Amino acid sequence: MRSGFLSLFRRSPFDGLLKHAEVIREVAPVFQLAILAYLDGNFDDFENYHNKVTIAESQGDSVKRNIRGHLPHGILLPMDKFQLLWYLREQDKVLDATQDSLHWLSYRKTDVPDEFVDDLLLMVEKVNDVLKSMYPMVATAEAYFKSFSELDRESVKAAIHQIRDYEFQSDQVERKLLSDALSHGSLDPTSVFHLVRLVEVLGEVSNHAENAGDMMRAMISR
Amino acid sequence: MYDVILGISFLAAIYMAWNIGANDVANAMASAVGAKAITLRQAVVIGGVLDFAGAVLLGSHVTTTIRKNILDSSLITDPQVMMLGLLAALLAAAFWVFFATWSQFPVSTTHSIVGALIGFGIVAGGFGAVKWGPVAAIVVSWVLSPVFAGLLAYLTFVFIRAAVLRRPRAFLAALRWSPLFAGLAVLVTTASLLMETPLGTRLGIGNRTGFIYAVGFSTLIGVVARGWVSRTIRDLEGRGVEEMFRRFQVFTSCYVAFAHGANDVANAIGPVAGIYIIYTTHSVTQEAPVPIYLLLLGGFFIALGVFTWGYRVIETVGSKITTLTNTRGYAVDFGTATSVLVASKLGLPVSTTHAAVGAVIGVGLGGGLAAVDFKVVWKIMIYWVVTLPLSAIPTMIIFKALRMIFI
């Protein structure tokens, strides 16, 4: 069939973005279970969950490469291609930072003092909220670029706002944890360093999610 | 000898017409099927019937151009040479179209037949036998028609987005503008039918009266369409707007099929009309009009092409275009059909497929499509350029062979 017409239509980058966000969403409970297993001292379980997250991150990387590979020169998109690629980079860094946090934990078996556990679990919960809120943002954005409806645009903005809220809350807990760890009297310096770095990497997850949200906000701007 | 040439030319023309129906209609109708505006069966009926109507009612403009405005008959006075040359052009174009279909090249039947006629003109009467002025106008129209289609589709989509989609109550905004969306396609079709056509002359309608009638009729259809959608669509939020444009795409699908018939019938019938006139008058005359039954024949075989093979191509192309929503499909159809119909009214043979490509690019530039490959434009331009020599050179060879056999 000789149809120059058909070859015009390329696959939507949102198919890949949604698949990538789906990977992040599926990683969220596994990540939480991994931290819980570590805090409980179940290092076999921790390694098991850690491996699952590593496999998921590798799947996410493959989806990311696939999206980039299908955006050659000369493709017309409803948004700036540069913005889309930047967004993708930030969304992927969310997954990378999640994996990095578990990698970092796996390097040492630190006995986390009881007084840190609640705050650390709160921070993990906030990061978990952030991970779960990426997919709704991408899904509503996909709907917006199909409908251009103001209602859908408001939904995307609400999803971005939600991520910013979680990032703010995670930031608050992060600062408290850092302050507590550095001013703790009896903790050995290696453990302090291990915990501080862990908290920083966990903070990175939320920071990249917020950056992705900011880029999405630029993509839907009128 | 005249009978044999006429017989072969009819067979070649029938093949061309069948091929136009079988393959080209898909490019015009697939966006509506892809956007699920019409079913495959409706697409086949609309494609067949409206293509036939367009070919019969408006096809003579372009047919006359292909028959008269490419070759200078004062330099090719021998009726036998002219008949053989037109036959050679038709055979070469049919062969090229067959080759393109087999090898999946995105080439245009219009460009093939024009290239073939130029080839015959050069070999039979030298470069002077080709009317380069009108040919240049035709070639310019090949560039302008996709650009015009693209601009129109872009403006249509940007207007729909600003006036409807981005409004807080999008469905009500769409309802407000619905007479315009439904009526515009009807306006251009009716104006084309009534202004400067045998139908308009027979009804004693001048251009101004024809335009007034067209505006009146399209306004009536627009108002009726508004009543229809406001009564039958209840989904005020969500999919209501797309559902409304899904209905309007029924109008634009008819419009596209009609414009396609008006433009493309000439590719099959143009040379055979020339041969038929030489057969009846035994002289190379420029004056005789295109017999209506030749247009009927061309229209019939285009419709037959749609019914016998076109439905499979429409189904395949339509099933692969999944990113076109109804608002975008409407803009693409409107841009394509208006561009092709305006070109047909001016007697310019343009490529429907290229106009459709231009319209999709237009909507893509307006940000309406998830991902459009602009590089296809370059690919199409390359095939467009190679089509001219690759249909002209075989014409020269076939013409030499036919001359050795018949003269």
Side-chain angles (χ1 to χ4, degrees):
Chain A
M1 182 198 331
R2 62 205 162 82
S3 177
F5 190 67
L6 194 58
S7 47
L8 271 173
F9 297 90
R10 300 289 294 245
R11 207 167 54 193
S12 164
F14 270 98
D15 294 349
L17 283 182
L18 274 171
K19 207 183 278 180
H20 192 271
E22 176 78 48
V23 173
I24 296 176
R25 190 168 65 172
E26 281 170 7
V27 151
V30 185
F31 159 77
Q32 200 169 21
L33 287 170
I35 303 271
L36 286 173
Y38 185 92
L39 293 175
D40 287 346
N42 297 330
F43 294 109
D44 286 344
D45 283 353
F46 169 76
E47 270 315 315
N48 188 20
Y49 294 129
H50 178 201
N51 284 339
K52 281 185 181 168
V53 170
T54 306
I55 292 166
E57 197 276 337
S58 145
Q59 283 173 352
D61 270 350
S62 147
V63 176
K64 177 190 72 180
R65 278 194 297 272
N66 193 271
I67 299 171
R68 284 183 182 162
H70 285 89
L71 290 172
H73 186 67
I75 290 279
L76 292 174
L77 301 167
M79 72 292 288
D80 191 299
K81 193 164 90 172
F82 177 71
Q83 286 178 337
L84 183 83
L85 290 173
W86 193 356
Y87 172 81
L88 176 64
R89 187 165 157 258
E90 289 300 328
Q91 184 169 297
D92 192 54
K93 278 186 175 176
V94 170
L95 201 51
D96 285 348
T98 310
Q99 180 194 237
D100 286 349
S101 66
L102 297 186
H103 280 345
W104 180 252
L105 265 185
S106 73
Y107 299 153
R108 187 173 190 268
K109 288 173 185 168
T110 297
D111 195 16
V112 181
D114 287 345
E115 57 265 41
F116 288 167
V117 170
D118 280 350
D119 282 341
L120 191 60
L121 285 176
L122 183 62
M123 172 130 199
V124 167
E125 196 183 308
K126 291 300 152 199
V127 170
N128 203 36
D129 286 340
V130 163
L131 293 175
K132 285 191 288 193
S133 56
M134 294 299 286
Y135 188 88
M137 177 175 68
V138 183
T140 48
E142 191 209 17
Y144 168 70
F145 282 112
K146 272 185 188 158
S147 69
F148 285 108
S149 129
E150 204 49 41
L151 286 173
D152 284 339
R153 191 160 167 274
E154 287 304 320
S155 303
V156 186
K157 282 161 77 175
I160 296 168
H161 194 74
Q162 182 73 76
I163 290 174
R164 279 188 194 144
D165 274 354
Y166 289 142
E167 195 277 337
F168 176 75
Q169 290 165 20
S170 138
D171 222 29
Q172 302 282 92
V173 190
E174 180 186 347
R175 280 194 282 141
K176 181 169 187 305
L177 274 167
L178 289 177
S179 163
D180 289 352
L182 291 168
S183 54
H184 197 276
S186 58
L187 208 56
D188 68 280
T190 316
S191 295
V192 170
F193 178 61
H194 195 212
L195 283 178
V196 164
R197 182 83 190 101
L198 170 70
V199 170
E200 282 176 349
V201 178
L202 287 176
E204 288 293 297
V205 177
S206 309
N207 289 340
H208 288 302
E210 192 191 27
N211 291 346
D214 287 346
M215 197 38 64
M216 182 62 85
R217 181 66 189 83
M219 274 161 42
I220 62 158
S221 65
R222 291 173 57 178
Chain B
M1 189 197 87
Y2 282 101
D3 293 334
V4 176
I5 295 172
L6 186 69
I8 299 172
S9 69
F10 264 104
L11 289 177
I14 284 169
Y15 174 73
M16 280 286 278
W18 179 84
N19 210 299
I20 290 163
N23 290 294
D24 281 9
V25 175
N27 296 326
M29 304 296 289
S31 62
V33 177
K36 296 189 174 52
I38 49 174
T39 63
L40 180 62
R41 190 172 295 182
Q42 287 165 341
V44 169
V45 172
I46 289 172
V49 174
L50 271 296
D51 250 80
F52 178 80
V56 175
L57 295 170
L58 284 185
S60 64
H61 278 70
V62 186
T63 308
T64 307
T65 300
I66 285 194
R67 188 168 65 82
K68 294 198 301 193
N69 286 6
I70 294 173
L71 299 174
D72 186 351
S73 56
S74 63
L75 289 176
I76 310 169
T77 48
D78 185 345
Q80 284 189 348
V81 169
M82 184 60 107
M83 270 184 106
L84 287 178
L86 291 174
L87 176 60
L90 200 50
L91 288 173
F95 173 74
W96 177 237
V97 165
F98 170 76
F99 178 74
T101 307
W102 171 70
S103 60
Q104 303 188 358
F105 278 9
V107 302
S108 154
T109 43
T110 311
H111 298 182
S112 307
I113 197 73
V114 172
L117 286 171
I118 292 171
F120 159 59
I122 292 170
V123 77
F127 280 87
V130 178
K131 291 180 178 174
W132 293 107
V135 166
I138 290 170
V139 171
V140 168
S141 76
W142 292 348
V143 179
L144 288 183
S145 61
V147 172
F148 182 61
L151 186 68
L152 215 55
Y154 171 84
L155 292 175
T156 307
F157 178 69
V158 167
F159 178 74
I160 291 172
R161 192 172 54 190
V164 176
L165 299 175
R166 283 190 167 155
R167 295 281 156 174
R169 303 172 83 184
F171 182 81
L172 295 178
L175 207 56
R176 197 177 310 129
W177 288 106
S178 60
L180 179 77
F181 295 130
L184 263 182
V186 182
L187 172 69
V188 188
T189 314
T190 323
S192 312
L193 270 175
L194 295 178
M195 293 162 72
E196 286 180 23
T197 56
L199 182 70
T201 318
R202 204 175 306 149
L203 295 172
I205 296 170
N207 278 354
R208 186 181 292 181
T209 324
F211 187 70
I212 291 167
Y213 281 163
V215 170
F217 183 64
S218 53
T219 308
L220 179 72
I221 294 288
V223 171
V224 169
R226 186 188 192 281
W228 173 48
V229 290
S230 64
R231 270 198 311 277
T232 52
I233 305 175
R234 288 278 171 259
D235 185 8
L236 293 185
E237 299 300 334
R239 295 247 343 128
V241 173
E242 289 294 334
E243 174 60 27
M244 194 185 297
F245 276 90
R246 196 177 73 78
R247 310 277 179 93
F248 294 157
Q249 265 202 289
V250 178
F251 290 87
T252 52
S253 302
C254 296
Y255 183 30
V256 167
F258 185 79
H260 180 263
N263 178 72
D264 282 36
V265 72
N267 303 336
I269 292 306
V272 93
I275 292 172
Y276 180 78
I277 287 161
I278 297 170
Y279 175 80
T280 49
T281 61
H282 287 271
S283 68
V284 180
T285 172
Q286 295 276 23
E287 299 312 316
V290 180
I292 183 74
Y293 87 83
L294 277 181
L295 294 171
L296 282 166
L297 192 78
F300 173 76
F301 279 99
I302 290 178
L304 194 71
V306 179
F307 291 134
T308 54
W309 183 261
Y311 71 96
R312 292 174 61 168
V313 186
I314 295 171
E315 188 178 25
T316 313
V317 178
S319 67
K320 287 181 180 169
I321 305 173
T322 50
T323 55
L324 260 186
T325 60
N326 299 110
T327 41
R328 280 74 164 173
Y330 174 90
V332 168
D333 283 354
F334 185 72
T336 306
T338 307
S339 169
V340 171
L341 206 57
V342 167
S344 294
K345 285 296 288 179
L346 296 171
L348 295 167
V350 295
S351 163
T352 317
T353 306
H354 292 192
V357 168
V360 172
I361 296 282
V363 175
L365 282 169
L369 292 166
V372 180
D373 193 350
F374 195 79
K375 283 181 297 181
V376 175
V377 174
W378 304 117
K379 195 168 141 193
I380 279 179
M381 279 181 79
I382 290 166
Y383 284 116
W384 162 44
V385 172
V386 299
T387 294
L388 292 178
L390 288 179
S391 53
I393 294 165
T395 306
M396 295 173 177
I397 297 166
I398 294 170
F399 173 69
K400 292 273 186 195
L402 288 175
R403 198 152 67 170
M404 279 168 64
I405 296 167
F406 287 101
I407 304 177

